[in-house]
Amino acid sequence: MILMSRMEWGVVIGINLLLIALLVPGVQQSREVARQSMSKSNLKHVAIAFYNYNDTWSYLPPGGTIREDGTAMHGWMIQNYLFMEASHLYDCVDFNNPWDSSENTPVYEWPMGCYQVPGADANYSPTGFALTHYQGNPNLLHRNSSVSLEQLEDGAAHHWLAGEVAGNYQPWGYPFNWRPLGTKLCDGPNSFGHPPWSGGHLLRAD
């Protein structure tokens, strides 16, 4: 049996700690690459849903449906969801009542992976609603809008539909999930982008 001195044990432990220190950044980088890939995949599914919605109804979903009395009802994400995954949650929504009514709260408390950036720092609002880390383009998705992709005079390639946001996340059922792009990514919580990546992804309309 070979016994090691304290100094030898210290050397072994030091080597192991050094190896761990060298490996951790690589593991973290791999995780961030995987998260970026997942977020891009989310936006791809959002894009397909937008196009399927547009093909079905001849226009994009309204950014938010707002009644004449000002009551905010539902947003574009639940409309799009019908064309993204199984419609069991969509079928549970009572569209005659607002998104945050007691009838609809159980639906919008459910976290939607397709509307969340993996690893984001917040997934629920203080009141328990599941958040989204994406927002739409207010020029195409706004109050009671019905914009068609075919109406984009300069072509879809010159427009964007949605993207990751840097903060001030809203519940995915919120009827006002849109914000202006601004001039710089990751420029505060009201901007687009994902700060850990020092950038972000935007979904182009084409």
Side-chain angles (χ1 to χ4, degrees):
M1 182 176 181
I2 299 176
L3 298 177
M4 300 177 67
S5 67
R6 290 182 179 178
M7 181 176 293
E8 290 172 323
W9 273 114
V11 171
V12 171
I13 292 173
I15 292 173
N16 286 335
L17 290 175
L18 178 60
L19 290 174
I20 292 173
L22 292 173
L23 289 173
V24 166
V27 171
Q28 183 62 28
Q29 183 178 9
S30 296
R31 287 177 178 172
E32 290 304 327
V33 169
R35 288 168 176 168
Q36 288 187 49
S37 178
M38 179 62 71
S39 186
K40 286 191 287 187
S41 178
N42 287 346
L43 286 172
K44 178 181 178 180
H45 284 90
V46 170
I48 293 172
F50 272 132
Y51 268 81
N52 287 337
Y53 191 104
N54 187 79
D55 287 345
T56 300
W57 302 107
S58 299
Y59 53 82
L60 295 171
T65 53
I66 316 300
R67 293 194 319 212
E68 291 185 1
D69 64 1
T71 302
M73 299 299 286
H74 297 274
W76 66 266
M77 290 188 172
I78 188 60
Q79 302 289 348
N80 236 24
Y81 183 67
L82 179 62
F83 295 90
M84 293 180 68
E85 300 183 19
S87 61
H88 61 285
L89 281 180
Y90 183 92
D91 293 336
C92 293
V93 175
D94 182 353
F95 287 96
N96 293 315
N97 284 294
W99 72 282
D100 55 354
S101 64
S102 59
E103 293 84 357
N104 291 316
T105 292
V107 174
Y108 293 121
E109 288 178 336
W110 192 264
M112 303 295 291
C114 56
Y115 290 141
Q116 294 185 331
V117 174
D121 58 4
N123 291 313
Y124 291 93
S125 73
T127 53
F129 288 107
L131 299 176
T132 178
H133 308 126
Y134 303 99
Q135 293 285 289
N137 181 348
N139 295 317
L140 305 181
L141 304 166
H142 49 84
R143 181 188 181 107
N144 297 328
S145 59
S146 57
V147 178
S148 169
L149 290 174
E150 289 71 27
Q151 292 176 339
L152 305 181
E153 296 180 357
D154 50 353
H158 297 280
H159 297 268
W160 59 281
L161 289 168
E164 302 153 349
V165 291
N168 283 346
Y169 310 123
Q170 298 296 332
W172 72 271
Y174 186 56
F176 302 96
N177 274 324
W178 63 78
R179 67 174 65 172
L181 181 58
T183 58
K184 185 178 179 182
L185 295 178
C186 301
D187 188 25
N190 290 317
S191 65
F192 278 79
H194 190 58
W197 304 335
S198 299
H201 302 99
L202 288 176
L203 173 62
R204 292 191 350 179
D206 61 346

